[in-house]
Amino acid sequence: MVSILSGLVGGLVATIVMTMFMMGLGDDSPPPTAALWAKYVGDERPESYMMQGMVLHMLYGIGAGGAFAVGVTALGLGVGAGVLTTSLLWAVIYGLALTVVGAIFWMRIVLAMEPEPKMVGMFAFFHLVYGVVLGASVTYIPL
């Protein structure tokens, strides 16, 4: 069983690590959350909202970690302390599901973007990192 607090902390840690990968391997373009901010809140281009986009992305990542904890506990998937393999499996699947939701719903529908295949590939890789770190976090951070 995974506590909500463990999921929230795991989401925070996973988002920080994922963001480090994004900053190191990305193309320095604004994250989709900056485009979201620009479209619905601001009146400038997404590049002007990098900080707001990163804060929003951090909040999404923390919330997604909490949602993961609630979901795997409700479904009885055997995720949590001492079960690294199971935790990693479900967290990686979850990270890839977040990729699909992000690439299809957020980018294409909400933001009306048509992401290039390379961008979708990097997006998937970053969310895979998120899943691995989330799975390890909820296993080894006892909350």
Side-chain angles (χ1 to χ4, degrees):
M1 186 162 119
V2 179
S3 72
I4 293 174
L5 182 58
S6 178
L8 293 171
V9 171
L12 172 65
V13 172
T15 305
I16 290 169
V17 173
M18 181 175 109
T19 301
M20 290 174 12
F21 272 85
M22 287 171 52
M23 294 173 79
L25 300 174
D27 61 2
D28 293 329
S29 64
T33 49
L36 181 73
W37 192 277
K39 183 173 183 174
Y40 293 105
V41 179
D43 56 0
E44 296 179 38
R45 298 193 41 80
E47 294 81 6
S48 300
Y49 302 107
M50 293 287 281
M51 184 57 66
Q52 293 92 330
M54 292 309 291
V55 169
L56 189 56
H57 190 255
M58 191 67 61
L59 293 173
Y60 284 165
I62 294 168
F68 175 76
V70 169
V72 296
T73 300
L75 294 172
L77 297 178
V79 172
V83 288
L84 180 62
T85 304
T86 305
S87 297
L88 287 176
L89 171 68
W90 288 112
V92 164
I93 290 169
Y94 183 68
L96 293 176
L98 292 175
T99 299
V100 172
V101 170
I104 293 174
F105 178 73
W106 284 110
M107 285 188 199
R108 291 189 177 173
I109 296 172
V110 174
L111 297 173
M113 294 170 66
E114 189 59 43
E116 295 179 19
K118 181 181 178 185
M119 181 182 186
V120 174
M122 292 302 285
F123 196 73
F125 173 73
F126 297 143
H127 285 87
L128 179 65
V129 168
Y130 176 88
V132 168
V133 176
L134 177 62
S137 295
V138 299
T139 301
Y140 292 117
I141 298 175
L143 298 174

